[in-house]
Structure formats: C-alpha cells, structure tokens
Amino acid sequence: MVQVHIGDTQGEFAPETPFAEVVEKLAPALRKAALGIEVEKKSYDLSRPLSVAGSNHIAARILTFDDEAGKEIFWHSSAHALAQALKRLYPQIQLEDGPVVKNGPGFFFYDVLLEEKINEEAFDKIESEIQKVIRENHKVVRHVMERKDAVAKFKAMGEDLKVGIIERLPEGGEISIYEQGEFADLCRGPHVPSTGKLGVFKLTTVAGAYIGGKAENQMLQRVYAVSFPDKRLMAEHFKRLEEAKKRDHRRLGHELELFTTSEDIGPGLILWLPRGNIVKEEIEAWAKTTEAAHGYQRVTTPLVTKEKLFYTSEHLPHYMESMFPPMQMDNENYYIKPMNCPFHHTIFGHRPRSYRELPLRMAEYGTCHRYEDSGALMGLMRVRAMQMNDAHIYCTEEQAVAEFKAVIKLHEYYYNALNIADYHMVLSLRNPANKKYHGDIEMWDKAEALTRQAMEESGVEYIVENDGAAFYGPKMDFQIKSSIGREFTSSTCQLDLFMPMKFDLKYVDKDGTMKRPVCIHRSPLGTHERFVGFLIEHFAGAFPTWLAPEQVRILPVSGAHLDYAGKLEQSLRAAGIRVNLEEPEESLGKRIRTAEKMKVPYMLVIGDKEVSGGVLNARNYFTGEQREFSQDEFLKTVQEEIRTKKIIEMAK
C-alpha cells in the first residue's frame, strides 16, 4: 500500500490507484479545479497510478490554474486542443511542435507545415473549432510506445515532421503519446484529464519559424494563442497587455533618451545614451559596493583570447554557434569572449593556492559578446554585446552549500531593495539521455546534491526541470516578474565540479594534500542590458530617486528668477544631486509637462515667492504632492531617499 498526504489529509491506497481517485477521496473540494498532481517537484497526469512516484510514502500537491505548474499543464493541453482544431480544419496540415512559452505574443504556440497561409481572417473559425473540441470533452489518454511503433503510427497519419522528431530522440528514452478523440500527439505531458477542463481561447498572431530555429531548415507557420479558464481572466490579461505596451522598454528607452541602436553599428549592439548610462553605472556602483562588503575581489580580463582557452573549457566546438567568428592574428585564431569563466579560472591557477585563501570570490563586470540569431534580438532583453555582473567563487566542497546559499541571499537582497516581490528559482538538472553533458555520473550526482541542498535550505520556492543544465553542471535560474507580470530570467548560478578539473585547478589542503576546488558561477544582476530593460518596465520608466538619471529639475518662472535658480543648481550639484536647470525660453506649463514626461522625481518651480523667501516649491513625481521646503530640508530629503534607496509607490 502507498501512504498519500495531500495537505493535512492522508490515506492508504493500492499502488495502481490513479491520482484522480486519490484527489476525489482526500480533497473532493478541489476535484473540479484539479489539473494535475505534483510529487517531489515533478508534475503528473491525474490518470497516472501512484506507483509512478516510486515511493510508498507520497506528499502530493494538487495543481490548479493558480499554480505555475498548473498553468503549464493547462496551456500545454490548450496547445493540443489548438492542434486538434487545426487538423480538423486543414486535413493536409503537418504538426511539428507546440510548447508553452514564458514570454511572447502567446502563452503557447504550434508550429505547422501548411501551404495555405493561416491569417487573422481564419482566427474566428479556428477558435470556434477549439471550443467544439472543449465541449466534446474528450478524455485525454496517455500511451507509451516502442520507437518503431511510434514511427509507424505517425507515418500512417502523414505526420512526417513528428517522425523526424521521434528519430532524433535519444535511444532508450520513453516515448509517450497523448490521444484525445481522433487526435494523437507525441508529448511528454502531463495533460489535463479531459478537454472539458479547458476554457476560453484567443489566437493572437501567426509568425514564421524555422524547424529547430535554424535558417537552413524548412520554414513553418507558428500559430500563437492564449487561453484561460474563464472570460474574466482573459479580459484581465488583455488589460495587462495594454499596460505592458505603455511600459515597453523599447518605447520608453527612446522617449526617456536611455539607449539607442544603429544599423551602421549592427543589430543587438546597444549605444547607451548619457541618461541611460547613469542608470547603468548606478547599478554597477551598487553591485561593486555590495560585493566588496561580501568579500569579493575585483579582476579585469581581456576581450579577446587565443582559441586554445575555449578548447580547454570545451566551449569550442560545443558553444561555437553562439560565439562570434574567429579573427586571425600572428597565425593564430583569436575569439571575442562570450563569457568570463575561463579567464577567471586562469587567474585562480596562475599560482599555487592554499585552503586559507578559500573561499576566493572573484568578480568582474566583464563585457561579453554572443552571436544571437537576428530574429531573437529584442531591445535590451536579447543583445549581442553585454556587460555581466559576473563572479566566480572558488571554495572547498565543505564550503559549497554555504556559499551557494549566500549567493541566493544576495539575489534576495537586490530584489527586496528594488521592490521585486514575485520571483522563484528553477533548478535545471542533467538529462542522462542527452549527450551534451560532460563529466562522469559521480561528479554530476555530487553537484546536483549540493545544489539541491543549498536551494532547499534557502527556503526560496523553486521548480525542477530535468534538462537544460549547463554542459558542465546543474544550473539555477532566478525567474522574476515585473509589476505587470512579465517574467524574465534575471540571472543564473551554477555549481561546477567540471571546470576545475579541465583547468587543473588545485589548492593545498590543511593536511598538505592537493585538492580541487568547487567553482560557483554567479551573476545576481545578470547583464546591464537585460536588467535595465527589466527595471524600465518594472518602474514604467519612473526610476526611484537614487537611480533616476535626473533627480531634480529646476524651472525658473522667468528670467528674473534665473540668478536664484542658478545658485540653487550649483548648490545641489555640489551636494552630489543630479540636477538640471531649464531656462524659461518656453512657457512654464510646457516645461512642467516636459519634466513630467521625462519622469523627473522632483520639480522645483522658482518664482517671486521662492526668491524672496529663500524657499523651494517642490513637486514629487511619484505622489503628485506639491509642498514647500527650506533648501536644507529639501536637500536632506533627497539625500535620504538616495542613501536608503527608497522606493515611493506611484499615486493611483
């Protein structure tokens, strides 16, 4: 028998009992809302038997649309409903893949091969057919098949693209098929119990996509869509989208004069304008001060290196597609660096090390270049040149968990200071069937165990993905959400036992023996480009005073007030305040509107009263409050906001 706990309730069941029956008996109130079940951070279909969890004691969690994992099941099942409707309307269509996506014009898409162009005029009939699939309430059934049987099945269905996917799957891996009514699809799952669990759909757009994302492959049509359990949630989503358009960092970056790009320089290569450069440098200064307080030492490494370094690290040839092409000098190939790691490993190994030096925390805001496909470039979020808040921690195995936890706490410190409340971690592990991973099983088991221990002890919520690790070690990503709900991968952290071996890194331990250090790769603030892009959208361009490119704008009413305004400007600037004086060449109203458009935290209007009384009339952009200050009082107020990195909520 299997002992199952769901919340505070428990019961004993036979191993062959499906999870759905357990939910019915232990949590009947959630029966209708249940989309799947989670055991040990892994999601399962409700139709799967308890035995799939591989334990006689199971602590299960019911997944609903309120859970991220529940949404994943809902949207992936929605992709199948979309594919089923397309198959009915276009019998000659071939289906390729239909994953859930975190960001983009939809929550999921399906790539299809079809001669006929799917356009917006067809959206209504496709959505109607999807609703028909839902009303028919087809039971979703999972089958496991042998490779040859799966190939035969999809060949008989005329699905050559699916056959290609099956043939590319690693040998020995499980091949599962999900069927609903007349429709069948190749899929790992999990899925909702029946199509009747799905809700309302909206197709959003159709784009082109190459098979495997490679331009040399065949072009497909990518149909994007969103779905929700009900119309209310759908309406709220599109309301958020309207707000997202207002906060789009590309639009605000142009309006606020933060950054630009140029075709003469190249796509994905950012030109930071003076105002944007202030934001970037304030974040960097904050990071450097914080890291110094946490015992980090700063290094600087070159932008190019001989190719031998990247053969040692095995980035060549495995990472070559993401690297800029080589340049030849002195009869040798040189590469622009795509990451700082091999340089830091070289610094660690340049002389003998002692256990007394560990943990050694080595930091650099290094500039890296990576070749991103032009179709993937997007403002600051996806670029080809980036400045990374990078560091590598070299420590003993006994120190590794504590150091990893300290990195997680550093993430939390930054996020709390920036009022980023919605975040979680994703632990990406090795898939043994995938040949991209290097190193032996013992090394991977140890690295994964240490990483899990640190993440568990940190107390931060996390989910597990059984693939997607770096080729040399498990990877932890921090996923953060902006104030409008857009999710970003802000940073990554990896516990690495492989590179110290590749670079032959050693230290002398207490007993005189030579040992290899553990290396922790970390980047809490990610890159300037992506993090500033996130903050633009998070704050809607209205940066808190400490981070604002311009903290105070002085607006003299007329030329008669210029002398007083000029002395005030000099005084504030001498106190370290970023201040600008706008001379009265245009009307006061127009200058006020311009300052508001640029989202300057404080506007100081200087008129007769201010000059005669030696006071300031200050308007706070965030609250809309307008009040009178003495000069000393105003200066102290602004300096305190800067010192404490205070965030003032925008007035509704």
Side-chain angles (χ1 to χ4, degrees), residues 200 228-237:
V200 291
F228 288 92
D230 56 54
K231 291 180 180 179
R232 178 185 61 83
L233 290 174
M234 179 75 81
E236 289 176 359
H237 166 71

Side-chain angles (χ1 to χ4, degrees), residues 33-256:
L35 302 174
I37 205 85
E38 184 180 81
V39 180
E40 294 291 325
K41 306 288 185 182
K42 186 173 181 181
S43 303
Y44 296 98
D45 304 299
L46 287 169
S47 60
R48 300 289 293 277
L50 296 177
S51 58
V52 74
S55 174
N56 291 328
H57 292 85
I58 296 174
R61 186 167 75 94
I62 296 171
L63 297 175
T64 70
F65 193 77
D66 292 332
D67 306 294
E68 286 301 314
K71 288 183 176 71
E72 191 103 5
I73 293 172
F74 187 90
W75 287 329
H76 197 54
S77 301
S78 296
H80 278 214
L82 167 61
Q84 185 172 6
L86 290 171
K87 193 77 174 171
R88 287 179 176 182
L89 295 170
Y90 307 96
Q92 71 276 30
I93 202 170
Q94 282 198 49
L95 306 173
E96 207 257 352
D97 193 21
V100 173
V101 288
K102 298 295 184 184
N103 293 305
F107 295 145
F108 55 91
F109 63 77
Y110 221 107
D111 285 343
V112 300
L113 180 61
L114 181 68
E115 283 190 22
E116 181 180 341
K117 174 68 176 173
I118 299 174
N119 51 38
E120 290 190 9
E121 286 72 29
F123 283 6
D124 284 346
K125 72 174 182 180
I126 296 171
E127 289 167 4
S128 295
E129 193 63 38
I130 293 171
Q131 292 304 320
K132 185 178 177 183
V133 169
I134 294 171
R135 288 194 303 273
E136 290 166 355
N137 196 23
H138 297 291
K139 186 177 180 182
V140 180
V141 182
R142 180 181 186 270
H143 302 285
V144 176
M145 304 184 75
E146 295 289 334
R147 177 187 293 263
K148 59 179 176 51
D149 296 329
V151 167
K153 181 179 181 67
F154 284 99
K155 274 187 176 178
M157 293 164 57
E159 295 284 1
D160 293 338
L161 294 179
K162 292 288 182 186
V163 171
I165 292 174
I166 295 169
E167 290 175 341
R168 292 192 297 273
L169 291 175
E171 290 288 345
E174 185 178 75
I175 296 176
S176 55
I177 311 292
Y178 281 81
E179 294 185 349
Q180 51 194 55
E182 82 287 356
F183 177 76
D185 204 355
L186 175 72
C187 190
R188 287 193 301 266
H191 282 277
V192 297
S194 67
T195 60
K197 286 272 191 180
L198 303 177
V200 291
F201 275 70
K202 183 73 176 173
L203 272 61
T204 56
T205 190
V206 180
Y210 295 106
I211 294 177
K214 296 181 179 178
E216 64 268 22
N217 291 342
Q218 193 168 17
M219 173 73 84
L220 305 176
Q221 296 185 67
R222 176 166 290 177
V223 185
Y224 284 96
V226 297
S227 67
F228 288 92
D230 56 54
K231 291 180 180 179
R232 178 185 61 83
L233 290 174
M234 179 75 81
E236 289 176 359
H237 166 71
F238 281 100
K239 185 178 179 180
R240 285 194 300 271
L241 282 187
E242 285 303 310
E243 181 65 19
K245 287 179 184 177
K246 297 176 188 174
R247 292 173 177 253
D248 190 301
H249 78 279
R250 292 164 294 184
R251 182 179 71 83
L252 288 172
H254 172 73
E255 291 179 1
L256 301 176

Side-chain angles (χ1 to χ4, degrees), residues 21 116 140 155 160 178 268 275 281 285 327 352 354 358 403 410 469 501 556 561 563 567 605 612 632 650:
E21 187 176 321
E116 181 180 341
V140 180
K155 274 187 176 178
D160 293 338
Y178 281 81
R275 297 175 70 87
E281 289 188 341
M327 62 188 86
S354 164
L358 306 184
E403 288 296 313
L410 190 57
M501 180 268 294
H561 311 110
D563 184 56
K567 290 176 181 177
V605 176
S612 62
D632 285 346
M650 289 290 295

Side-chain angles (χ1 to χ4, degrees), residues 266-278:
L269 303 173
I270 302 301
L271 296 168
W272 290 98
L273 303 179
R275 297 175 70 87
N277 210 62
I278 289 171

